[in-house]
Amino acid sequence: MKNLILIFFTIFILAGCSTSSLKLNKDKELILNYSSNEVLLTNKIVDSKFLNFKDLFVTIYKLEDENGRVLFYEDARTALNFEFNFNGLYTVMYIFDDRKNYDLVYERNNLMLVQFHLRDKSHLNVMIQASDSQGYLYVYGFSNKEFMELANRVKVKDGDEIQELKHEGTLLHRSSDILSDWNDILVFFTPLITPLRTMERR
């Protein structure tokens, strides 16, 4: 009987802690997976770009759906013997002009929905996935309506609080440029990455 209770308790805990994932699949569709469900975010790659910072590699995709709505999806990964110096949120804040001013809309384990307040007074809705310290994924360009719908879909419990957005998020189009600012000074002098701190964590 005790073993049965332990099994049910473990299942309950794992269900509550289930991770979410952003993934560009083999059909070039950007999918958000959560709780055995999935949402198709975009289904067409318009352009892509690869950045090599020696021990940090960034792939940037411009994606579009059938309605012409554009999102940028960025996949940043370190070399095996390196890791990010900061958590996912702070790393992405540095990438968007070091503006540490944001509203947290919703957080679910490894997934964050955040609205950044940028220096030019615009606002950007960003979904960040930070499953481990060596790889961060994020996607930006959502409308407020879509962002709030996504927050309500991925929330773990009905009673979870979702922060209402106070500003309109910037919408992107096929002619829009990348808004993130990856550069050598940011990567090497901030620094964004550091040698793997395995020994320190034991």
Side-chain angles (χ1 to χ4, degrees):
M1 184 65 179
K2 286 183 179 178
N3 287 340
L4 192 59
I5 291 172
L6 182 60
I7 289 169
F8 280 119
F9 180 74
T10 303
I11 291 171
F12 175 77
I13 292 296
L14 290 174
C17 297
S18 60
T19 58
S20 308
S21 68
L22 284 165
K23 185 177 181 182
L24 196 63
N25 67 19
K26 60 182 176 60
D27 296 318
K28 308 304 182 186
E29 298 170 327
L30 183 59
I31 304 290
L32 170 63
N33 290 291
Y34 66 97
S35 302
S36 301
N37 297 305
E38 64 178 39
V39 180
L40 174 64
L41 299 178
T42 59
N43 57 4
K44 180 183 178 183
I45 295 177
V46 176
D47 197 9
S48 64
K49 182 177 183 180
F50 179 75
L51 307 176
N52 186 340
F53 295 100
K54 184 175 176 290
D55 294 302
L56 173 65
F57 315 101
V58 184
T59 309
I60 302 173
Y61 299 93
K62 180 187 281 191
L63 300 148
E64 185 180 55
D65 67 10
E66 62 274 7
N67 299 315
R69 189 273 263 118
V70 167
L71 297 174
F72 279 96
Y73 169 64
E74 306 198 3
D75 182 336
R77 298 185 184 277
T78 68
L80 287 176
N81 56 335
F82 278 79
E83 66 181 348
F84 284 101
N85 202 13
F86 311 101
N87 65 25
L89 175 61
Y90 272 77
T91 297
V92 178
M93 280 196 289
Y94 276 114
I95 294 161
F96 287 108
D97 73 17
D98 194 15
R99 184 69 168 168
K100 296 180 178 65
N101 192 349
Y102 68 94
D103 295 318
L104 176 61
V105 177
Y106 184 69
E107 182 174 8
R108 171 189 170 140
N109 305 120
N110 63 322
L111 194 72
M112 299 183 76
L113 281 74
V114 180
Q115 185 175 82
F116 287 126
H117 303 223
L118 304 182
R119 291 185 189 277
D120 64 1
K121 307 302 181 185
S122 66
H123 300 84
L124 191 64
N125 296 325
V126 185
M127 180 184 293
I128 305 167
Q129 178 192 314
S131 299
D132 63 65
S133 63
Q134 293 186 298
Y136 296 154
L137 308 171
Y138 56 95
V139 56
Y140 59 92
F142 299 99
S143 69
N144 282 18
K145 181 175 183 292
E146 184 179 13
F147 212 48
M148 295 303 292
E149 287 174 350
L150 286 169
N152 278 285
R153 288 186 73 164
V154 303
K155 69 179 180 180
V156 179
K157 295 177 287 189
D158 289 340
D160 285 355
E161 184 177 351
I162 294 175
Q163 179 71 40
E164 291 292 332
L165 292 169
K166 300 173 184 175
H167 309 278
E168 283 298 318
T170 299
L171 299 181
L172 304 173
H173 310 281
R174 182 173 281 220
S175 59
S176 298
D177 292 327
I178 299 165
L179 297 183
S180 58
D181 184 22
W182 290 97
N183 59 75
D184 289 340
I185 293 173
L186 174 70
V187 173
F188 298 115
F189 294 96
T190 302
L192 274 192
I193 60 173
T194 186
L196 195 62
R197 294 166 287 199
T198 308
M199 297 302 293
E200 295 177 19
R201 291 180 176 178
R202 289 181 179 174

